Amino acid sequence: MWRLPLKGSAALVLVLLLMSSATGDQHWKDLHSEVQRGDVVPLETILDWLDAHYMGDVLEIEVERDDGLVEYEIKLLGPQGQVVEFEFDGQSGQLMQIEGVRIREMQR
């Protein structure tokens, strides 16, 4: 199985984002501008917070817009094989929701 530590996954995610199709390029350019202006929390900040508070390997990262606001959805594979999804507000970096099983067993 292929597993990524939290910190090592940020570079891979950036590479995958840069490989997006030409039709999605403007979305990523807009997001990059928002991060540069400080309107959106960088993904690295979210991953650092997760690494400090939870054990697990990154399985998937999604960046979505809901009513114009950025949301980060990150799935981690926990030490007992559980998959837990964390949802963060992109503007504040606040954890909004956690879904999954045996979440307490992943806490540091």
Side-chain angles (χ1 to χ4, degrees):
M1 181 183 337
W2 184 43
R3 296 166 57 145
L4 292 173
L6 289 177
K7 290 210 174 244
S9 63
L12 175 64
V13 170
L14 292 177
V15 169
L16 293 175
L17 294 178
L18 292 174
M19 292 172 49
S20 66
S21 69
T23 58
D25 284 349
Q26 189 59 46
H27 168 73
W28 298 115
K29 288 178 184 177
D30 292 346
L31 180 60
H32 179 72
S33 294
E34 291 174 286
V35 171
Q36 293 294 78
R37 287 193 310 267
D39 296 335
V40 173
V41 174
L43 177 58
E44 184 176 10
T45 301
I46 301 295
L47 292 174
D48 286 346
W49 185 91
L50 271 175
D51 189 39
H53 294 89
Y54 291 90
M55 296 177 285
D57 297 308
V58 173
L59 292 176
E60 181 180 4
I61 297 174
E62 292 183 30
V63 180
E64 297 182 352
R65 286 197 186 267
D66 187 18
D67 293 327
L69 300 176
V70 173
E71 293 179 1
Y72 292 108
E73 294 178 6
I74 302 170
K75 288 184 183 175
L76 295 185
L77 176 65
Q80 287 83 33
Q82 69 270 46
V83 175
V84 177
E85 182 175 304
F86 298 83
E87 188 174 314
F88 292 87
D89 179 288
Q91 282 67 34
S92 68
Q94 290 292 100
L95 178 63
M96 299 187 313
Q97 185 174 354
I98 302 175
E99 293 180 8
V101 296
R102 298 192 311 272
I103 297 167
R104 285 182 174 259
E105 295 167 11
M106 293 176 64
Q107 289 181 323
R108 293 191 188 271

